[in-house]
Amino acid sequence: MNSNHLQQIQTFEAYQTTYAKSCENPEAFWSEIAQSFLWKKTWNKVLNWDFKTAEITWFDGAALNITENCIDRHLANDSGKIAMIWEPNNPTEAARKISYGELASEVNLLSNVLTELGVLKGDRVCIYMPMIPEAAFAMLACARIGAIHSVVFAGFSAQALADRIIDAGCVAVLTADGMFRGEKKIELKKIVDEALLQTPSVQKCLVYQHRNFDINMEVGRDFDWCSLTANAATHFNAVSVDSEAPLFVLYTSGSTGKPKGILHTTAGYMVYAAYTFLNVFQYKPGDVFCCTADIGWITGHSYVLYGPLLNGGTTVLFEGIPNYPDAGRFWDLIDKHKVSIFYTAPTAIRSLELYGKAPFEGKNLSSLKVLGSVGEPINEDAWQWYFENVGKMNCPIVDTWWQTETGGIMISPLAGITPLKPAFATLPLPGIQLAIVDDKGNELYGNDVAGNLCIRYPWPGMARSIYGNHERFIQTYFSIYSGMYFTGDGCKRDEDGYIRITGRVDDVINVSGHRIGTGEVEDALNEKGFVVESAVVGYPHHIKGQGIWAFVICEQADIDYETLCNELRQHVSVSIGGFARPDVIQVVKGLPKTRSGKIMRRILRKIAEGETNAFGDITTLLDSSVVEQIIEGAQVFLRQKS
Ligand code: WT7
């Protein structure tokens, strides 16, 4: 099949008619979009689905390789076009620009190397790397040989890395010696060495020397990246895979239990990432797109890598952080690379807001056309600040709501097309059929309603399973409200039919855009010998969106508070990663529990929000006096915050 251009919606009226069409006949709608890709074999059936068993297939019977769509198809006309711009952590170091032609060679070299190392179609490969082009090459090379990548964010600890490698049964790890994030030195290979002590499935480890750190190389297991690619061929025939062949696993946190390996498959994810990128951001040829997310998160997968490349775009990979070497770093980057579409998280915006206007001085941001926000609700203040100071009141802001599980953006304005309302994700994209339901599962029709956000119909980018645990996939997403996918988020639909996301309604918290299960932090705290029991909740934090508040019962009442805090925070860093360290640790004598022994987090959440009354019905509590004690103990922390 030939590849044509993907359809781009140009007006609000076109959005409305496209949306209506997509609901009337979803299969016709998506099949028309899918025509514009390169397939090795076409499909027999656009969609098969059953939300009871959570069995979903898109483009069944077709075969393809996503990297031919990301790379090869652009070579005929655009081989010299820049595919990727790398901006290093340290701005005095040279940026790198990689053309589509160079990208093809790099990915082919690595595909040959992985094949020589014995990685086969269907094998899982863990990628634990800095934000450097090699990380992108690694993901694409896996896809090219039909292996499944499992990228683990390079902020996770050795233990968290090992857990993820074991769960996915990875046969190889691709990593680097280390990196700097701001001024912080992170020795990735050392962390990998520690993780690999626990992971018998890993046969090979390929190491990219990025910063010339001293590293240990284990003979027979560890290989130097550049030595191997130097001798490899620059041609590699992309392996043909089925539409529903897994493309990647990406771990994310849930309400309970260990992180889940969210499984995405090839064709549907490709179509959805490409379509949403083109339409939400209104990408035009020549645009320079910069998404500041790390490739260790879904945003990095879909909008640093796949979405832009599938559209033949130029994508910026930024290795650094917003405030290094100073709070003007983003603005320098936009000026330097003439970024036209800039996509970042509210937490970054709020942290930069504190520095006022000075960091903008001398920075030319006139290349910007579109701004995006992702990862957490954006408050109105931050929205206005972003709009005025960064966009100079000329750039629409797309507040994009989606999840690791959804594969791509679900609810968002189309830039410059959908009328905006600050702090609203606005309207569903074509193909996305929402339902708002009350706690009993009754659908709330019409406008001016609030409830739990569900999706009632499949879309191509949706996750297909939890790696190795399909039953958990069904239970988590499809069994709470029968016949629907449940997102875990609450929302309201206002009088104009616009959607505002109000945040998670489960025990997942969002700290600086990092999704963390409160249960995971509790498990880590409880591992410490002196902790009898703990309960963790999120509380409103002016920069991070949410902070982590831990209530802990300790065995020795006499342990010095500072030591206790240090030990607990250190342990959480080791067990999960630094970003999951509790902000507040409150030692308590008891936790509010029901007679059946369930911790009433609802009460703890209210206390952490500063509530001293109005806890609703607490008559079912085993011992209501603990609530008084906890409220009293919380005051000192609440005072510190205000
Ligand atoms: C959760 C998903 C989507 C990629 C990054 C996060 C929250 C995400 C928004 C938004 C309000 C948002 C939700 C969602 N979230 N975007 N624009 N407005 N909330 O992916 O780590 O899977 O987290 O992030 O609570 O469920 P994730």
Side-chain angles (χ1 to χ4, degrees), residues 299 375-377 399-404 489 501 504 510 515:
T299 314
E376 39 170 335
D399 177 2
T400 63
W401 175 86
W402 57 298
Q403 311 177 293
T404 304
D489 280 304
I501 306 294
R504 300 288 303 198
N510 195 321
R515 178 166 157 184

Side-chain angles (χ1 to χ4, degrees), residues 528-532 552-561 563-564 567 587-588:
K528 240 7 217 187
F530 57 78
V531 173
V532 177
V552 294
I553 306 177
C554 286
E555 215 158 60
Q556 311 137 266
D558 57 345
I559 181 167
D560 154 45
Y561 178 68
T563 314
L564 171 136
E567 286 199 20
V587 178
V588 296

Side-chain angles (χ1 to χ4, degrees), residues 240-314:
S240 177
V241 305
D242 293 342
S243 291
E244 286 295 337
L247 175 64
F248 64 88
V249 175
L250 185 57
Y251 285 82
T252 193
S253 297
S255 270
T256 53
K258 288 188 311 174
K260 309 170 274 208
I262 300 298
L263 182 81
H264 282 282
T265 60
T266 307
Y269 174 82
M270 171 184 78
V271 168
Y272 199 67
Y275 181 76
T276 52
F277 174 79
L278 182 72
N279 281 288
V280 170
F281 300 106
Q282 289 291 303
Y283 164 81
K284 300 282 186 304
D287 278 342
V288 175
F289 180 83
C290 176
C291 165
T292 65
D294 192 282
I295 48 133
W297 310 116
I298 190 71
T299 314
H301 283 55
S302 303
Y303 302 110
V304 174
L305 192 67
Y306 288 111
L309 296 184
L310 287 164
N311 283 283
T314 301

Side-chain angles (χ1 to χ4, degrees), residues 250-253 262 293 297-300 303 343 345-346 373-378 398-412 423-425 453 485 487-490 500-506 508-510 513-516 546:
L250 185 57
Y251 285 82
T252 193
S253 297
I262 300 298
W297 310 116
I298 190 71
T299 314
Y303 302 110
Y343 190 33
S373 170
V374 61
E376 39 170 335
I378 180 166
V398 289
D399 177 2
T400 63
W401 175 86
W402 57 298
Q403 311 177 293
T404 304
E405 294 88 339
T406 69
I409 297 166
M410 301 286 280
I411 309 179
S412 171
F424 279 75
L453 179 60
Y485 166 85
T487 63
D489 280 304
R500 178 176 194 146
I501 306 294
T502 46
R504 300 288 303 198
V505 294
D506 54 10
V508 170
I509 54 179
N510 195 321
H514 296 316
R515 178 166 157 184
I516 303 169
Q546 279 186 300

Side-chain angles (χ1 to χ4, degrees), residues 6 81 91 101 152 165 181 188 196 201 245 347 362 449 526 593 608:
L6 259 180
K81 183 175 173 182
V152 176
I165 291 173
R181 189 177 281 133
L188 296 172
L196 293 191
S201 61
T347 186
V449 293
N526 297 347
K593 286 190 179 174

Side-chain angles (χ1 to χ4, degrees), residues 214-251:
D214 272 339
I215 53 172
N216 157 60
M217 293 290 275
E218 200 176 298
V219 179
R221 185 195 71 186
D222 299 347
F223 296 85
D224 178 62
W225 187 301
C226 293
S227 316
L228 297 195
T229 50
N231 297 311
T234 53
H235 181 80
F236 185 95
N237 280 335
V239 169
S240 177
V241 305
D242 293 342
S243 291
E244 286 295 337
L247 175 64
F248 64 88
V249 175
L250 185 57
Y251 285 82

